[in-house]
């Protein structure tokens, strides 16, 4: 089995993932899945399973009845297998992945895909439609053009004619989905997809489903900063996590929230930006214009029942910004929290749904 530590990063290219910190310890990158007993006593035991995937780390904390060593190893293998399956299907770096084969399919004939890949494309397309294209899994060529892809570059603005040429085959509506045949069809043979802004969230959901199937009802999953919690701990407490302050130089907790049967994802623009013709731009490309957003020093956190949904919405709302993004999130009932650097400190605003979801569990 190839360890996640040996795999290239699947970090989203549309919006940098801000860090969400489980306030019960950070994940540690190791070569293979490992487990350890965090605590026990009169009540259930708490186990932590850690490892590497998608070029990042994961940590899964499970509170359950004491498990035999054999069962712990079985759970560790199930977690790693679920993550490996998602990575193996949706990686843009693995040339053998399902997604890479689709991207290499320079044709407008239907391309059959697995159920999981189709499910992610369908979710991405739905959110793209609701957000008017602010979320777009085909934007990768524009990210590369502006120098925010795998090979970072600096310089002046790209020529408008080059941007226009790429936009001819960039667009969420340029991939047609057929649910009956479970196929994807490109309307332009050069269109490619990058699922990085949704794949980690989907992987979190997959691990949660596997744990539930194994009879686990209380756990916290974290993959590269995307989290999902289920149940309340034996103490009666919910799982507590922290949203990082959008500071370019330091890593500090900005706000803590408590989760129960919910996922949270955060996207921000403060880890990767560049100066172009005297203007600071974030690495976040607005798919609707083909241009990078001005640097704001901001983040958006989204809470949802699905980590994949939260992952995608956090990206889209970062593209839209705190004003238009808040308006859309409020209208759609999305639980979103916006933070933007101000002259002194930060400005923050939450949607009604976010306030309701975190009522009595924030600090």
């Amino acid at each position: 089995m190839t360890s996640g530590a040996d795999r290239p990063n699947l970090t989203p290219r549309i919006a940098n993932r801000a860090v969400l910190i489980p306030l019960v310890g950070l994940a540690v990158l190791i070569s293979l899945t490992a487990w350890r007993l965090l605590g026990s006593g009169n009540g259930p035991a708490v186990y932590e399973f850690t490892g590497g995937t998608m070029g990042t780390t994961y940590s899964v904390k499970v509170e359950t009845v004491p498990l035999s060593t054999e069962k712990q190893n079985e759970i560790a293998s199930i977690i790693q297998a679920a993550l490996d399956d998602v990575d193996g299907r949706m990686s843009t770096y693995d040339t053998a992945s399902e997604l890479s084969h689709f991207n290499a399919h320079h044709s407008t004939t239907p391309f059959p895909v697995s159920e999981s890949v189709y499910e992610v494309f369908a979710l991405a397309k739905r959110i793209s439609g609701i957000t008017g294209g602010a979320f777009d899994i085909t934007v990768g060529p524009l990210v590369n053009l502006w120098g925010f892809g795998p090979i970072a570059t600096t310089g002046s603005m790209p020529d408008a004619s080059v941007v226009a040429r790429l936009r001819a085959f960039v667009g969420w509506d340029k991939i047609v989905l057929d649910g009956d045949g479970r196929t994807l069809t490109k309307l332009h043979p050069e269109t490619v997809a990058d699922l990085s802004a949704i794949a980690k969230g989907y992987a979190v959901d997959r691990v949660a489903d596997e744990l539930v199937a194994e009879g686990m009802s209380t756990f916290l999953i974290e993959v590269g900063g995307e989290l999902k919690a289920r149940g309340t701990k034996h103490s009666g407490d919910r799982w507590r996590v922290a949203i990082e302050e959008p500071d370019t130089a330091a890593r500090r907790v900005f706000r803590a929230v408590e989760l129960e049967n919910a996922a949270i994802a955060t996207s921000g623009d403060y880890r990767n930006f560049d100066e172009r013709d005297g203007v600071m731009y974030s690495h976040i490309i607005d798919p609707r214009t083909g241009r990078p957003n001005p640097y704001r020093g901001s983040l958006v956190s989204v809470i949802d029942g699905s980590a994949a949904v939260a992952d995608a919405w956090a990206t889209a709302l970062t593209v839209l910004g705190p004003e238009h993004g808040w308006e859309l999130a409020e209208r759609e009932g999305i639980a979103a929290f916006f933070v933007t650097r101000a002259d002194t400190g930060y400005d923050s605003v939450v949607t009604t749904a976010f306030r309701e979801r975190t009522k009595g569990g924030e600090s």
Side-chain angles (χ1 to χ4, degrees):
M1 178 177 66
T2 302
S3 72
D6 298 323
R7 294 187 178 182
N9 203 339
L10 260 180
T11 302
R13 296 177 182 175
I14 304 178
N16 186 41
R17 309 318 286 176
V19 175
L20 287 154
I21 309 168
L23 292 181
V24 285
L26 297 177
V28 178
L29 179 61
I30 53 179
S31 296
L32 298 173
T33 305
W35 57 263
R36 61 178 174 145
L37 180 64
L38 291 180
S40 60
N42 296 329
V46 180
Y47 299 91
E48 181 182 31
F49 303 85
T50 59
T53 186
M54 300 180 180
T56 186
T57 61
Y58 70 82
S59 169
V60 180
K61 296 176 178 67
V62 179
E63 184 178 89
T64 184
V65 297
L67 303 174
S68 66
T69 299
E70 180 182 9
K71 186 61 177 180
Q72 291 171 59
N73 288 331
E74 180 185 345
I75 295 297
S77 296
I78 288 171
I79 292 169
Q80 188 71 61
L83 294 170
D84 286 347
D85 182 65
V86 174
D87 194 18
R89 294 183 187 279
M90 304 181 196
S91 171
T92 55
Y93 292 92
D94 182 355
T95 57
S97 74
E98 222 178 301
L99 182 62
S100 292
H101 284 306
F102 171 71
N103 287 340
H105 179 68
H106 301 296
S107 171
T108 55
T109 59
F111 185 89
V113 293
S114 64
E115 182 177 354
S116 58
V117 169
Y118 185 88
E119 182 180 355
V120 171
F121 268 82
L123 175 58
K125 193 175 182 71
R126 179 171 66 82
I127 295 177
S128 294
I130 296 172
T131 62
F135 182 77
D136 192 335
I137 60 174
T138 72
V139 78
L142 287 170
V143 176
N144 295 334
L145 174 67
W146 286 94
F148 293 113
I151 301 177
T153 62
T154 59
S156 59
M157 299 288 192
D159 188 271
S161 63
V162 179
V163 175
R165 179 176 59 81
L166 292 182
R167 290 187 68 196
F169 57 85
V170 170
W172 65 274
D173 54 350
K174 291 180 173 58
I175 300 177
V176 178
L177 279 62
D178 176 12
D180 294 332
R182 209 166 66 199
T183 61
L184 310 174
T185 301
K186 300 179 182 182
L187 298 183
H188 192 295
E190 298 305 313
T191 297
V192 296
D194 185 336
L195 301 178
S196 297
I198 193 171
K200 279 195 295 184
Y202 182 80
V204 169
D205 289 332
R206 276 286 302 277
V207 171
D209 290 343
E210 295 291 344
L211 291 176
V212 170
E214 289 297 313
M216 306 298 165
S217 59
T218 307
F219 52 77
L220 176 67
I221 303 165
E222 183 265 335
V223 178
E226 322 296 13
L227 295 102
K228 187 169 192 175
R230 182 178 174 88
T232 56
K233 290 180 278 187
H234 180 67
S235 62
D237 296 330
R238 289 179 286 180
W239 295 97
R240 198 159 185 258
V241 303
I243 299 171
E244 184 183 63
E245 183 178 296
D247 192 311
T248 60
R251 309 197 80 160
R252 293 183 292 267
V253 173
F254 184 79
R255 179 171 177 174
V257 298
E258 294 180 352
L259 299 178
E260 178 185 354
N261 302 327
I264 185 168
T266 294
S267 175
D269 69 358
Y270 58 97
R271 293 292 180 205
N272 190 1
F273 47 88
D274 190 22
E275 182 177 338
R276 302 278 171 146
D277 292 349
V279 179
M280 296 301 296
Y281 288 96
S282 77
H283 74 301
I284 299 169
I285 305 297
D286 187 335
R288 301 165 302 171
T289 66
R291 298 171 60 86
N293 278 356
Y295 165 73
R296 300 188 185 100
S298 63
L299 65 77
V300 182
S301 288
V302 173
I303 297 176
D304 192 86
S306 161
V309 171
D311 199 357
W313 268 103
T315 298
L317 295 176
T318 301
V319 171
L320 289 168
E323 294 182 9
H324 296 303
W326 181 88
E327 291 173 358
L328 178 62
E330 183 70 14
R331 186 165 64 247
E332 294 294 327
I334 304 301
F337 173 52
F338 298 79
V339 182
T340 306
R341 181 178 291 279
D343 292 336
T344 57
Y346 298 92
D347 291 330
S348 64
V349 62
V350 303
T351 60
T352 301
F354 189 92
R355 187 179 296 111
E356 289 299 315
R357 276 188 174 269
T358 58
K359 187 179 296 182
E362 58 188 80
S363 63

